Amino acid sequence: MLDDLDDIHPLFHGAPSTTEFKKLRKRIIRNVREAVEQYGMVERGAKWLVCLSGGKDSYTMLAALYELKWRGLLPVELVACNLDQGQPGFPATVLPEFLERMQVPHRIEYQDTYSIVMDKVPQGRTFCALCSRLRRGNLYRIAREEGCTAVVLGHHRDDILETFFMNLFHGGRLATMPPKLVNEEGDLFVYRPMAHVAEEDCERFARAMNYPIIPCDLCGSQDGLQRQQVKQILDGWEKNSPGRRQVMFKALTNIRPSHMMDPKLFDFLGLTRSNPAGNSENTDNSNEIPKLR
């Protein structure tokens, strides 16, 4: 069915017929399906707001979700959404025309958060935190207005890894972007169905499909960002040891609280030895070590 070019969604019209592309497409679809199933993202009859930036990741996500929906594996309604944040020179007609041509239900929202970011962020500081917060707030509002139950974002495996190392190096905590969470208000899920997909696969897929990529000039206009630095480190590790990224990503799904150091996750104080050599339990508390004061 995958290779039947007469029976596909418009998002796949013109797809290369090479074996290499077919393998790439199958891998992406498999990875997205794994994340959707593993993290319990499907609520039958739900409606998702699929957020599109116009970058390679969000285009790949949109295509993968429609592939799964077309196969009957994703019984949810999809509404694509682009938030035009008022960046100078942003090609405002590209995504609406693309989505119309692809027969994808969508909503285009204009909110000039760009001016707010440029006004509020001091010179020399990064734009990302405020820009992201403003964007997320608008997307939550739009999701409610559209009757959606979830906001769906295009973060991929490498985004998740980079965020983990940013928290490790700069935040002093072990944390990253989870594939599934509930917003602070408690009324919307936030899903990342691309969590298992490699960035390289997104780039190859979007390029092969000739999707109209729109770069983010706001984020890309700053040098020395922490995320760029972490990305360079990961690129170096991957170059020296191919497959290192996937091994590290697997580690994020294979955590052993008893072998970490957080007493909130594991009861170290309550840890006891098994009764040695069948002896009765020593109830003499005279040798107890006093608590430090």
Side-chain angles (χ1 to χ4, degrees):
M1 189 174 182
L2 180 62
D3 301 330
D4 186 353
L5 299 182
D6 295 326
D7 189 23
I8 57 177
H9 190 274
L11 282 164
F12 287 95
H13 285 171
S17 59
T18 63
T19 300
E20 181 182 7
F21 179 80
K22 292 175 182 177
K23 289 182 178 178
L24 171 66
R25 176 179 171 183
K26 289 179 180 178
R27 181 167 63 250
I28 290 173
I29 300 304
R30 182 178 66 250
N31 288 341
V32 173
R33 182 181 181 185
E34 285 174 353
V36 168
E37 293 180 349
Q38 181 176 356
Y39 297 102
M41 297 181 187
V42 173
E43 293 178 292
R44 187 170 294 276
K47 187 176 183 181
W48 290 5
L49 189 77
V50 182
C51 303
L52 300 181
S53 65
K56 63 184 187 308
D57 311 328
S58 58
Y59 278 125
T60 302
M61 175 179 66
L62 182 68
L65 294 179
Y66 265 92
E67 172 91 11
L68 291 175
K69 184 175 174 63
W70 169 62
R71 293 179 179 281
L73 300 173
L74 190 64
V76 302
E77 184 180 351
L78 302 177
V79 178
C81 176
N82 172 250
L83 179 63
D84 181 346
Q85 297 180 259
Q87 296 181 31
F90 181 79
T93 62
V94 170
L95 273 170
E97 292 175 355
F98 173 82
L99 294 170
E100 287 287 349
R101 191 166 66 252
M102 295 298 111
Q103 303 173 29
V104 173
H106 61 276
R107 172 170 169 175
I108 307 296
E109 179 86 3
Y110 178 82
Q111 290 290 331
D112 185 9
T113 63
Y114 175 85
S115 297
I116 299 175
V117 170
M118 299 304 292
D119 178 63
K120 298 296 183 182
V121 177
Q123 187 173 1
R125 301 291 296 273
T126 58
F127 304 138
C128 299
L130 179 58
C131 180
S132 176
R133 189 160 62 249
L134 293 173
R135 181 172 62 249
R136 191 68 60 87
N138 277 289
L139 291 174
Y140 288 164
R141 172 183 56 79
I142 295 167
R144 296 182 185 107
E145 292 173 358
E146 293 291 329
C148 295
T149 56
V151 172
V152 185
L153 306 175
H155 297 119
H156 47 65
R157 180 200 70 179
D158 298 73
D159 289 325
I160 291 173
L161 268 179
E162 290 164 13
T163 301
F164 171 79
F165 279 103
M166 287 173 64
N167 280 314
L168 177 65
F169 294 156
H170 304 287
R173 59 183 177 271
L174 297 182
T176 188
M177 299 183 293
K180 177 182 179 180
L181 59 86
V182 177
N183 68 336
E184 292 182 359
E185 293 79 5
D187 63 333
L188 291 168
F189 281 116
V190 178
Y191 295 148
R192 294 182 173 95
M194 299 281 285
H196 293 177
V197 180
E199 181 178 18
E200 181 183 11
D201 282 352
C202 295
E203 185 172 354
R204 292 171 58 204
F205 180 85
R207 184 172 63 246
M209 291 302 304
N210 200 30
Y211 291 147
I213 305 299
I214 303 172
C216 177
D217 293 329
L218 182 59
C219 299
S221 65
Q222 292 186 287
D223 295 323
L225 296 178
Q226 292 176 356
R227 185 171 292 273
Q228 292 175 349
Q229 296 170 359
V230 168
K231 186 177 181 64
Q232 290 171 0
I233 293 172
L234 295 179
D235 286 344
W237 288 347
E238 184 70 20
K239 182 179 180 180
N240 293 330
S241 301
R244 177 69 61 85
R245 268 192 171 93
Q246 186 57 29
V247 173
M248 291 188 292
F249 180 78
K250 184 178 180 181
L252 295 180
T253 69
N254 187 26
I255 298 171
R256 299 182 181 182
S258 64
H259 287 57
M260 300 298 286
M261 298 179 64
D262 190 342
K264 296 188 296 295
L265 297 180
F266 186 79
D267 183 14
F268 292 101
L269 294 178
L271 192 62
T272 60
R273 294 173 297 167
S274 59
N275 195 8
N279 294 332
S280 60
E281 204 56 55
N282 181 11
T283 58
D284 183 3
N285 296 326
S286 61
N287 293 324
E288 276 190 0
I289 298 176
K291 292 182 180 180
L292 297 177
R293 297 184 182 277

